Amino acid sequence: MINILYIGRHSEILETVVRLINANEEWFGAGAETDETAMELFEKINFQIVLLGCGIEPESEEKLRSFFQAQNQNCAVVQHYGGGSGLLKNEILSALENHNFI
């Protein structure tokens, strides 16, 4: 099972992305709207991939990237650009390949 954390500031998009992730039976997706929630989830669950959605301020992105890498250097932190389920799947598969998870 590949654990994927999606961080986004827009609740509707967050819900949609997490639902799309969980549509794949080999993936488990969780979502967070705030930095604090994201870091709490990351400490509880071994995420292989973190997707950063739009609307995350540069300071928050830098803080999150540093936190995730300090906790787990093997975690892939990827910018999610939106654009539907096909792009999401490609972003995830690319991150898996680049980090030798598959």
Side-chain angles (χ1 to χ4, degrees):
M1 179 73 62
I2 300 295
N3 296 320
I4 303 166
L5 174 61
Y6 175 78
I7 305 166
R9 301 298 194 233
H10 306 286
S11 59
E12 297 85 11
I13 295 171
L14 186 144
E15 291 172 15
T16 300
V17 171
V18 171
R19 180 177 44 79
L20 290 169
I21 292 168
N22 286 320
N24 184 318
E25 60 189 36
E26 296 177 6
W27 300 343
F28 166 75
E33 282 189 60
T34 68
D35 297 350
E36 293 75 22
T37 302
M39 290 186 287
E40 288 173 10
L41 282 169
F42 197 85
E43 289 178 326
K44 293 177 183 174
I45 300 172
N46 181 28
F47 289 104
Q48 287 81 25
I49 299 174
V50 174
L51 297 172
L52 301 174
C54 63
I56 298 174
E57 305 78 16
E59 306 82 37
S60 289
E61 182 177 333
E62 187 176 317
K63 177 178 73 173
L64 290 167
R65 285 180 181 273
S66 295
F67 176 83
F68 299 141
Q69 291 300 303
Q71 297 291 316
N72 179 0
Q73 292 181 349
N74 293 324
C75 178
V77 181
V78 179
Q79 188 70 46
H80 172 64
Y81 293 102
S85 61
L87 180 58
L88 174 66
K89 182 178 180 181
N90 286 339
E91 289 171 343
I92 293 170
L93 291 176
S94 178
L96 292 172
E97 286 180 26
N98 290 339
H99 285 78
N100 298 316
F101 293 128
I102 57 172

